[in-house]
């Protein structure tokens, strides 16, 4: 299973990535790293440094068929959205549309969009529910509201299943101080660094604070369900800013608390109802605010010191480099001028004949640095030329009438401008070409990375197939064992294949009775030796009723001892014909990956079972003696052979009974016997005047009870073969 998380290196995105990774997903991340940090995600994954509106995103979708896309990338600062609404729109609207379009184009199963409580605007009704009026007061809130409309419309137009979560104030580890939810992290930073805490207004304004891991849990659970639409994601609990500070005082000494003027447009009270998500997803937040703040404070305390040192070092280094880079051209220009002045003033220029040293200096500086430094070189050269003239005894007034003097100045200015402009133009062309080369190199590197990744996956799969006997055995089992048209052999092959693929101890197959009230055990493999029920009454087991109703895989998340760990329905002709149940699975395999693997395996079994049942229907006249439910010798012996093989491989018991027809006809005898048998038992005729019966899943201790039942109906039988 593959999931793409946009903004996956950010605060919320990194926690969502962690959750999907723990559930066995392959995680892919798109992030422009403007606010995200790569060190937030420490496990093995594939990351792309891109903006979500970048056309190169299509290469990622084309190369990886994602099961879910979690769109968290956004410009999250309300203040920035007000000062630069265009940038906000590019990221929050154009980026979303690009992700939606690519998700629809490349058949993504679920698209989850991170919206915000900002869509409600100034609304005094509490708690706010999803159907309340939306009236956002900032470009950020508008872009989120528009994003919800896009998601809903994509679901209507293109059948892309979308979920929009309106987050309340999310807080937790890795949070920065940008955006509406940064109040917790701002307070944490200031308290740990022994700085005063500033509260806008009286501090009685309330917010609905939700811990980030609860958000990640809801997003993950929504990704594999049929949930769609708009939902609040919150705790449905009001918490004042003052009470927030009170909890922090218990965790660490607060130096000072100052109340400042209330900010314009600040909402006084805010709470989101979470009833809809609780009812439809069966989700509730696990962490209350006190517990969440403790966990957040512990993380900030352990990370604040090294984070400050790293930021300070980077800022200092960057500042020094910028300063040195900016003054370097001026320093080198002045150094060259000093050399020029020394040559001119020390009479060294006469040694060079007709060479004008100042002109040479202007030309060289212009070629190296372009227009700005060449003009400075012209000014310095004119000053030097003037100083030299005055030093030679010329008067300022006389120079004003000296045409040679002005001609020389004009030459300096002309050469400086021409050389500087030409070099500047050449540098501009070169920079444009270099930028184009960089873009092409980045695209090549990006495509090469995608190609390399695809090659690695292909090589890994090929390696597993060629070198892993277990993988080859599984593939062989699926393609070969399930090819039989004999129903009993299909049942036996199924338990073998499921056991091999899922790596479990016990696999059981139950068929549904014609009246759909009982489940009969038809095959099982039981390495653990635990007792396996031979018959299940549907009304006694809620999980069976649920599977019959919704047709989905059952996962025993509550670890109910009266239900299997997993069970999946098997279909024939559009209706549920059987169930496969598994037990004895290690806890590390109790994940979504193995749920999906179980479902894929059941689809293969359903196909094989349908073929076998269709074959039985087509060959019924040849398998049964006409007018009876008695199998002909060849058909009966084939089933008996399957029972013997099942007993040999999995110790699956059966009883073989034999009786004499006496004065009754075969039809009369079979009707009497059939009325006392189960759907999984068989009647056959292998000798003249005799009838044999196979009792499936019946052990030696069952023999006396079965024989006494036959005796009550004046049918005499004896055990020929079984567990005796």
């Amino acid at each position: 299973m593959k999931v793409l998380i946009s903004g996956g290196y950010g605060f919320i995105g990194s926690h969502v990535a962690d959750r999907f990774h723990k559930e066995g997903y392959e995680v892919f991340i798109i992030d422009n790293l403007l606010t995200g940090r790569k060190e937030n995600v420490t496990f093995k994954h594939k990351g792309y440094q891109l903006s979500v509106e970048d056309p190169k995103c299509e290469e990622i979708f084309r190369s990886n068929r994602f099961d879910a896309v979690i769109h968290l990338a956004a410009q999250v600062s309300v203040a920035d959205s007000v000062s630069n609404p265009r940038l906000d729109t590019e990221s929050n609207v154009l980026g979303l549309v690009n992700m939606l379009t690519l998700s629809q184009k490349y058949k993504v199963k679920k698209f989850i969009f991170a919206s915000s409580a900002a869509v409600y605007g100034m609304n005094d009704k509490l708690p706010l529910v999803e159907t309340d009026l939306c009236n956002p007061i900032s470009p950020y809130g508008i872009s989120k509201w528009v994003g919800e409309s896009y998601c809903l419309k994509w679901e209507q137009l293109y059948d892309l299943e979308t979920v929009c979560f309106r987050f309340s104030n999310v807080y937790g580890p890795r949070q920065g101080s940008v955006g509406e939810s940064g109040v917790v992290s701002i307070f944490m930073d200031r308290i740990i660094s022994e700085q005063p805490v500033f509260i806008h207004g009286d501090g009685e304004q309330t917010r609905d604070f939700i811990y980030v891991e609860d958000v990640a849990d809801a997003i993950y659970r929504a990704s594999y369900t049929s949930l769609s639409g708009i939902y609040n994601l919150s705790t449905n609990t009001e918490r004042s800013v003052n009470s927030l500070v009170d909890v922090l005082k218990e965790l660490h000494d607060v130096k000072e608390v100052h109340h400042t003027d209330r900010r314009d447009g600040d909402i006084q009270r805010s709470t989101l109802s979470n009833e809809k998500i609780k009812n439809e997803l069966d989700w509730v937040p696990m962490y209350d605010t006190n517990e969440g703040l403790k966990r957040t404070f512990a993380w900030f305390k352990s990370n604040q010191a090294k984070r400050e040192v790293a930021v300070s070092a980077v800022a200092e280094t960057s500042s020094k480099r910028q300063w040195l880079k900016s003054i370097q051209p001026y320093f080198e220009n002045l150094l060259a001028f000093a050399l020029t002045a020394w040559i001119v003033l020390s009479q060294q220029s006469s040694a060079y004949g007709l060479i004008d040293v100042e002109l040479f200096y202007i030309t060289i500086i212009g070629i190296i640095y372009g227009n700005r430094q060449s003009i400075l070189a012209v000014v310095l050269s004119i000053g030097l030329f003037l100083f030299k003239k005055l030093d030679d005894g010329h008067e300022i007034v006389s120079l004003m009438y000296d045409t040679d003097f002005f001609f020389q100045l004009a030459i300096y200015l002309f050469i400086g401008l021409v050389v500087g402009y030409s070099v500047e133009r050449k540098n501009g062309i070169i920079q444009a070409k270099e930028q184009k080369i960089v873009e092409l190199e980045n695209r090549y590197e990006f495509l090469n990375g995608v190609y390399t990744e695809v090659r690695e996956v292909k090589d890994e799969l090929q390696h597993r197939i060629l070198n892993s006997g277990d993988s080859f055995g599984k593939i062989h089992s699926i393609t070969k064992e399930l090819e039989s048209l004999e129903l009993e052999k299909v049942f036996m092959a199924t338990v073998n294949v499921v056991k091999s693929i899922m790596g479990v101890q016990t696999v059981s197959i139950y068929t549904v009775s014609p009246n759909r009230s009982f489940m009969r055990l038809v095959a099982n493999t039981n390495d653990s030796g635990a007792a396996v029920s031979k018959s299940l009454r549907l009304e006694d087991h809620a999980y069976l009723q649920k599977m019959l109703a919704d047709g989905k895989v059952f996962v025993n998340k509550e670890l109910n001892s009266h239900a299997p760990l997993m069970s999946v329905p098997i279909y024939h002709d559009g209706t549920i014909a059987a169930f496969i149940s598994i037990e004895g699975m290690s806890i590390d395999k109790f994940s979504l990956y193995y749920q999906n693997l179980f479902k894929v395996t059941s689809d293969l079994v359903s196909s094989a079972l349908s073929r076998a049942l269709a074959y039985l229907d087509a060959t019924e006249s040849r398998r049964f003696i006409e007018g009876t439910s008695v199998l002909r010798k060849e058909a009966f012996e084939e089933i008996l052979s399957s029972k013997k093989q099942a007993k040999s491989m999995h110790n699956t018991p059966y009883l073989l009974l034999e009786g004499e027809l006496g004065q009754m006809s075969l039809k009369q005898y079979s009707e009497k016997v059939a009325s006392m048998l189960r759907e999984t038992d068989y009647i056959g005729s292998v000798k003249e005047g005799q009838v044999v019966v196979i009792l499936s899943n019946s052990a030696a201790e069952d023999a006396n009870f079965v024989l006494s039942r036959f005796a009550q109906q004046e049918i005499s039988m004896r055990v020929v073969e079984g567990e005796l």
Side-chain angles (χ1 to χ4, degrees), residues 578-595:
F579 292 96
I580 302 176
S581 299
I582 57 176
E583 294 275 16
M585 184 168 63
S586 59
I587 194 67
D588 62 306
K589 294 181 179 180
F590 204 58
S591 65
L592 181 62
Y593 171 80
Y594 280 90
Q595 295 175 37

Side-chain angles (χ1 to χ4, degrees), residues 328-342 361 365 380:
Q328 182 181 349
Y330 294 95
F331 176 77
E332 293 179 354
N333 194 345
L334 292 174
L335 190 63
F337 174 72
L339 178 61
T340 302
W342 175 76
Y361 157 66
I365 291 298
L380 293 174

Side-chain angles (χ1 to χ4, degrees), residues 88-307:
D88 184 83
T89 302
E90 286 177 0
S91 177
N92 293 1
V93 178
L94 297 183
L96 169 64
V97 171
N98 191 35
M99 291 292 103
L100 281 169
T101 302
L102 294 175
S103 297
Q104 174 265 324
K105 183 176 180 179
Y106 292 99
K107 310 300 181 186
V108 170
K109 297 175 185 175
K110 177 77 76 172
F111 186 93
I112 297 179
F113 170 60
S115 186
S116 169
V119 301
Y120 292 111
M122 304 288 282
N123 194 327
D124 295 331
K125 178 185 175 183
L126 295 179
L128 292 163
V129 298
E130 289 81 355
T131 54
D132 283 338
L133 177 67
C134 291
N135 186 22
I137 59 175
S138 67
Y140 170 75
I142 294 171
S143 67
K144 289 297 184 181
W145 191 26
V146 169
E148 292 178 356
S149 300
Y150 271 107
C151 289
L152 295 177
K153 190 56 64 176
W154 246 252
E155 185 160 8
Q156 295 173 11
L157 296 176
Y158 306 113
D159 293 326
L160 174 62
E161 203 168 276
T162 63
V163 179
C164 302
F165 281 128
R166 291 173 177 170
F167 296 162
S168 60
N169 291 65
V170 187
Y171 70 96
R174 307 174 197 160
Q175 185 178 25
S177 56
V178 177
E180 290 298 284
S181 302
V183 61
V184 172
S185 62
I186 292 171
F187 285 175
M188 296 272 184
D189 280 335
R190 300 192 69 84
I191 289 171
I192 292 173
S193 58
E194 304 294 336
Q195 297 181 52
V197 171
F198 294 93
I199 298 175
H200 297 287
D202 59 7
E204 290 304 309
Q205 59 267 39
T206 61
R207 296 293 182 266
D208 190 336
F209 295 100
I210 183 170
Y211 189 60
V212 65
E213 289 188 18
D214 285 327
V215 172
D217 177 59
I219 289 174
Y220 163 70
R221 292 174 64 180
S223 68
Y224 62 86
T225 67
S226 58
L227 194 75
S228 66
I230 298 173
Y231 298 86
N232 290 332
L233 205 53
S234 65
T235 60
N236 197 16
T237 304
E238 276 191 272
R239 192 79 187 234
S240 71
V241 176
N242 286 336
S243 68
L244 199 69
V245 175
D246 290 338
V247 175
L248 296 179
K249 287 179 179 178
E250 298 175 5
L251 301 175
H252 192 279
D253 290 335
V254 178
K255 187 175 181 180
E256 296 177 63
V257 177
H258 299 292
H259 290 269
T260 63
D261 293 337
R262 181 180 175 183
R263 292 181 301 186
D264 292 337
D266 215 358
I267 299 171
Q268 183 63 23
R269 297 177 63 197
S270 176
T271 315
L272 305 185
S273 170
N274 59 11
E275 289 301 315
K276 184 178 178 183
I277 188 69
K278 284 167 63 176
N279 293 334
E280 297 188 23
L281 189 62
D282 194 25
W283 168 91
V284 291
M286 294 179 61
Y287 300 95
D288 61 22
T289 311
N290 288 6
E291 178 64 23
L293 288 174
K294 288 178 183 178
R295 293 167 67 93
T296 305
F297 182 80
W299 183 88
F300 268 84
K301 192 172 182 180
S302 64
N303 285 271
Q304 182 74 1
K306 58 185 179 183
R307 185 174 55 172

